[in-house]
Amino acid sequence: MILNNKISGIQFSVLLSLSTLAYVTMEQKTVSCLSMIISIVVAFLLLIPTFFISSKENLEIPPVFQVVIGIFVTVMSVYILNSFSDFFVKNINPNSPRYIISALLLLATLYPATKGIEAISRSGIIAGAFALFAIIVIVAFIPYNDMANFSDNERSAQLYEITDLIIMFSPISLSFFFFRNFNTGKVKTVALPFIIISLITSVVMCFVKLLNVSEYRHPFYTLSQVSFKVIPMGFSGLFIALSIICVFFALLYYTLIVKSMAKTNTRLMSTTFLLVVYCLSVITSYVKEIGDILLNRYFLLVLFLIVTLIVPIAVKIKENSND
């Protein structure tokens, strides 16, 4: 692993928050707050092993699991890229081909993806400040009297919906790749990202539910459109900018993981990875049968569980065998 530049716990927390918010902003449905809270609690319980192995400075992951992680990172990148492309085509411009949207996003990602983690995390601070501003503005300027036009179908989450909510936390499940790059103490460094992510995600997901837009596709985007009395176009443009930034940093985050597993020629690795993601994005978007297999939520959950549960056990076994 060759991410040699050092970053602070705050910088990594912001990068991780943006990566996780990419999934939150693209979520297409909401369920009861209780179901959301249960999903969040389950996700963080599953991440406890990751939390413990993240404090190890010389983490050695067996090669077979590096391959699994590589597959997981690739599939999750395709998943988030396709989610944004679908959202853009369905809600913003139906005449835009999905492959063009995906290509533009990946081209924008290519140059920073070849840089080090320090440069990306520093730019993430600016993006994080904008993301926080966008979320506050969207929430604060919603005219609550207009919410009577929306109806709330209170219901418990189905199993597949809980699975979707858990998968949102996939960036955290891979955070152990970065902890060797911190300048701060171990306890503070390990705890801070988890605390920030849990607070941001819980608040964003729950206020979407409480504002009664649960029956709408992309409810967070729906909220940004409600505020027509404040400005004629609402805050949908602000939301789109927020989503683009979050997806952009999620793709960068996954690219950094691939770079951390490569020992040489990381620029070529970054370019190859993004090219593979783009090709798979096009294939899964236009060949439904392949998309149904590769992006199946239960397949993603299996990969998620391997990374969060099996990998820590394998690392521990390998550590004990070396003692």
Side-chain angles (χ1 to χ4, degrees):
M1 301 180 189
I2 54 175
L3 297 179
N4 296 320
N5 293 330
K6 297 294 182 179
I7 63 173
S8 68
I10 289 288
Q11 288 174 323
F12 181 70
S13 298
V14 173
L15 180 61
L16 197 55
S17 297
L18 290 171
S19 302
T20 306
L21 278 174
Y23 296 88
V24 178
T25 59
M26 289 293 99
E27 178 64 8
Q28 296 191 27
K29 61 182 75 67
T30 59
V31 293
S32 68
C33 277
L34 178 60
S35 297
M36 286 186 174
I37 292 171
I38 291 174
S39 301
I40 292 170
V41 170
V42 170
F44 275 82
L45 287 176
L46 292 173
L47 290 166
I48 288 177
T50 299
F51 181 87
F52 282 109
I53 68 170
S54 295
S55 61
K56 297 177 65 63
E57 292 184 356
N58 297 310
L59 185 67
E60 293 186 14
I61 302 175
V64 63
F65 290 111
Q66 290 191 27
V67 173
V68 174
I69 291 170
I71 295 173
F72 181 55
V73 168
T74 303
V75 174
M76 293 310 299
S77 298
V78 174
Y79 176 82
I80 192 62
L81 187 63
N82 283 8
S83 296
F84 180 81
S85 299
D86 289 342
F87 158 76
F88 193 91
V89 171
K90 291 176 181 178
N91 294 277
I92 309 302
N93 188 351
N95 296 320
S96 299
R98 285 176 172 81
Y99 66 89
I100 295 294
I101 304 300
S102 299
L104 291 175
L105 262 174
L106 290 177
L107 282 174
T109 308
L110 182 60
Y111 176 73
T114 62
K115 301 300 179 182
I117 187 173
E118 185 177 17
I120 293 173
S121 61
R122 286 181 176 179
S123 61
I125 293 293
I126 300 174
F130 173 82
L132 182 61
F133 167 79
I135 292 172
I136 291 174
V137 168
I138 290 173
V139 176
F141 288 94
I142 292 175
Y144 288 85
N145 57 315
D146 283 2
M147 298 310 296
N149 296 325
F150 297 86
S151 61
D152 180 27
N153 296 326
E154 184 73 20
R155 62 186 177 83
S156 299
Q158 302 296 317
L159 177 60
Y160 74 90
E161 293 171 321
I162 293 178
T163 300
D164 290 342
L165 293 173
I166 291 175
I167 290 173
M168 285 182 180
F169 295 90
S170 58
I172 304 178
S173 69
L174 298 157
S175 59
F176 52 78
F177 279 101
F178 300 102
F179 280 92
R180 70 186 59 212
N181 299 95
F182 288 116
N183 291 321
T184 54
K186 290 182 182 178
V187 176
K188 177 182 176 182
T189 304
V190 172
L192 188 61
F194 286 82
I195 294 172
I196 292 178
I197 291 296
S198 62
L199 289 175
I200 291 177
T201 307
S202 300
V203 169
V204 172
M205 291 171 67
C206 285
F207 91 68
V208 169
K209 173 61 187 180
L210 291 172
L211 290 177
N212 302 327
V213 292
S214 59
E215 66 182 25
Y216 289 81
R217 291 177 61 85
H218 300 103
F220 197 12
Y221 173 67
T222 301
L223 288 179
S224 70
Q225 292 182 299
V226 174
S227 50
F228 292 112
K229 290 184 178 180
V230 181
I231 55 175
M233 297 301 293
F235 288 106
S236 55
L238 193 62
F239 170 83
I240 294 168
L242 170 65
S243 281
I244 290 176
I245 286 175
C246 291
V247 171
F248 176 79
F249 277 92
L251 293 171
L252 281 179
Y253 183 88
Y254 287 132
T255 306
L256 285 173
I257 293 171
V258 173
K259 289 175 66 174
S260 72
M261 291 191 291
K263 299 185 183 298
T264 58
N265 215 353
T266 57
R267 289 189 176 182
L268 177 60
M269 178 63 72
S270 299
T271 304
T272 303
F273 171 71
L274 293 177
L275 182 60
V276 169
V277 169
Y278 176 71
C279 292
L280 289 177
S281 174
V282 173
I283 292 172
T284 54
S285 293
Y286 291 95
V287 184
K288 187 177 184 299
E289 293 77 10
I290 297 178
D292 290 342
I293 296 173
L294 190 63
L295 301 179
N296 182 279
R297 59 173 52 91
Y298 298 113
F299 174 61
L300 296 177
L301 181 62
V302 169
L303 293 177
F304 180 89
L305 293 176
I306 292 175
V307 173
T308 55
L309 301 179
I310 307 300
V311 170
I313 294 174
V315 169
K316 186 63 177 178
I317 293 174
K318 185 176 180 64
E319 179 187 15
N320 292 338
S321 65
N322 292 335
D323 291 338

